[in-house]
Structure formats: C-alpha cells, structure tokens
Amino acid sequence: MKVVLLEGDGIGPEVTSAACRVVAAAGVAVDWIRADAGLNAAETHGDPLPEVTLDLIRQHRVALKGPCTTPVGKGYRSINVRLRKGLDLYASVRPVKTIPGVKVPYEKVDLIVVRENTEGLYAGLEHQVIPGVIESLRVITKPACERIVRYAFDYARTAGRKRVTFCHKADVMRLSDGLFLECARAVAEEYPFIAFDEKPIDNLCLELALDPSPFDVLVMENLFGDVISDLCAGLVGGLGVVPGANLGSRYAVFEAVHGSAPDIAGQGIANPTAVIRSAAMMLDYVGERAAAARIELAVARTLQAGHGLTKDLGGTGNTQTITDEIIKHLGA
Ligand code: ATP
C-alpha cells in the first residue's frame, strides 16, 4: 500500500519516523511516498506547500503528515489552510479520550471534535481597508454547513454514538452562525435516532472545564474547532497524545493536533504518540482495522505501564524509548 508521507519540520521528522516504525512493526507493509512540505520545502521549492506535494496526495489519496511551519512575514498563506482547501478536506476529526495511566483531573472523557475545515474566519480572506484597519471575512455557506453537520451525524451513527452537540455564537454573529444553526437543526431532523443539542461556544468552554464527561460528538466552525481541539487535548494529557484526521470525499490526511514544537525540535524528546495514533486512524481508514486496533491497544498499554515515557507524560524517556515500548506492547 502506498501512503504519502509529509515529515514536515520541527519535531515532524522525529515523530513521523517513529510512526513509520510502529506501522511496520504492526505488520502493515506501507510504501511511504515522501513529499516535501514546511520550512524545507519553502527553501528548496520556493513554496512551503509545492504543487507536486498536492499532486502526490491526489494520486495516492491518503497521507500521513507531520507538523509543518508556514514561514511568517514572507507572504505565504498557511500550509494547513491551503492543504485543506486545495484537497477539500472539509472535516477535521479529533477523537479525545481519557487514557488510563495519563494523569489528568478528568475521568471518562470520550468525545469527538468535528471541525469544519474550509470556511469561517480561516477562509484566509483578509484585506487592509486603510492603513491601521484590517477586515477578515468570516465565510459561512449553506452547503458547507450542511455537509459538516451531516458528517458529524453520519459519524455518530456509524460509531454508535448517541449525541451530537452543535457549538456556535449565533446570538452575536446572527447572520453567519444564524445560518449555521439553521442548517444544523435541519440536518438533525434527518437523524431522529440521535440526540441533538445546541450550545454557545463560551458555555461549551465552561462546561468542558467543569466536567467534559457528558459530551459525545461536538461539531463546529473552523476557528472554534481549532481552539476547542487544543482545549480538549488538554483534558486528556496534552498535545502529545491526541491524533487527528482531515477528511474529504476523495482524500484523507492524518496528522496530530500539535504543531512543530520548535522549542524541543532535534533533541529526540518529542512525544510521538499523537502521530502514531494518527497513523492508526489512517490504517483504520484504509481498512487495516486489526492493525489499527493493535496499535491503539499497544499505546494504551504503554501509557498505563509507564515505562520509557516522554517528559510531557511525566516520564524520563525520549522519542525512541516510548516508541520501543509501544512496539514491545504490539507483540504482547
Ligand atoms: P501551531 O500553531 O503550529 O499549532 P502551537 O503554537 O500550538 O503550534 P506547538 O508546536 O503545538 O505549538 O507546541 C506547543 C507546546 O507543546 C510547546 O511547548 C511544545 O514543546 C509542546 N509540544 C507540542 N507537541 C509536542 C509533542 N509531540 N511532544 C512534546 N511536547 C510537545
């Protein structure tokens, strides 16, 4: 099987190579097609997201991606925004679940953040009206609202989940979130067997901080989803453990929630768990369900056993030791 690999930059090469080791150890023969993205690509191709990289993903359909930095102040548009828009990866899906052994103040967190990936304030449409005055456009369209809410309900149905919560700020952004809310309510009626509720985004933050356990599937606009994804990662142990997928009707790109972490890059101490779990999501997507489940189990056992863990998980190990432990538990 061919899968495009975007190592990215910062800790990207360290954590993606750990993920490739784990996939191989799980017995899936992946032919990784390496493609450039991030700081290195900006230097070698003059573009942090070269067209050739997008073409490789279009050709092979599935990619595993490390974090990529968009050079700031050089006129480049965000790599992630371009990738998601260019491949129409309209749904970002981030499963957030308490992991036994990872010390957090919360128990029984098991929720999915579904984020609209192509519109909202991250549409990237900004302009200067006059010097000192900038306008950013928040684009909300009916088809995009309907398809992301439908995605959330379809996900809930196939994953056996019971409740979809739509998060918004319709009392302030009456037109844009008003339309989104209207679409959400209409789509919810197509799924009478799944509970639906609506929550203003500020209330959601408060309730997540107090007790995240009742939440199931959350669906929301792009910027809200970006913020809530990081918040939810914090509920279960931080950025180092939460995986993610960017999905469209044709292509799928799997990546961790975290960024390139330049503060710890090149030291071999980054936690590869999030990218390893993203690789497991990728395997599940392509139908390698048994291998995906084995990797998830091996990660859970490793974190519970507590040996070789990286510093962010309270351990004294490094990228290699935790990867070795996960591979060891694959065979258990
Ligand atoms: P971006 O804007 O690209 O999403 P960010 O500003 O959210 O990035 P990150 O690069 O995700 O920042 O890093 C935030 C903090 O979390 C940093 O202190 C970083 O070292 C830490 N961190 C991120 N990922 C990991 C990881 N895999 N292992 C250990 N620490 C990490």
Side-chain angles (χ1 to χ4, degrees), residues 11 230 239-240 257-264 270-271 312:
I11 59 171
D230 273 28
L239 293 170
V257 173
H258 62 73
S260 55
D263 52 333
I264 56 167
N271 183 356
D312 59 309

Side-chain angles (χ1 to χ4, degrees), residues 11 15 67-70 80 226 230 238-241 256-265 269-275 310-313:
I11 59 171
V15 290
C68 297
T69 308
T70 306
N80 286 336
D226 192 11
D230 273 28
L239 293 170
V241 295
V257 173
H258 62 73
S260 55
D263 52 333
I264 56 167
I269 57 170
N271 183 356
T273 305
V275 177
T310 44
K311 202 169 150 206
D312 59 309
L313 294 172

Side-chain angles (χ1 to χ4, degrees), residues 214-290:
F215 290 101
D216 199 340
V217 177
L218 305 174
V219 58
M220 66 200 75
E221 176 265 353
N222 209 337
L223 165 68
F224 293 162
D226 192 11
V227 176
I228 294 295
S229 296
D230 273 28
L231 186 157
C232 288
L235 302 175
V236 296
L239 293 170
V241 295
V242 177
N246 295 294
L247 306 170
S249 50
R250 292 163 73 92
Y251 313 111
V253 176
F254 297 82
E255 65 176 335
V257 173
H258 62 73
S260 55
D263 52 333
I264 56 167
Q267 299 173 37
I269 57 170
N271 183 356
T273 305
V275 177
I276 290 169
R277 297 182 74 202
S278 303
M281 285 179 83
M282 181 273 289
L283 292 179
D284 191 67
Y285 177 88
V286 297
E288 292 283 357
R289 302 239 157 83

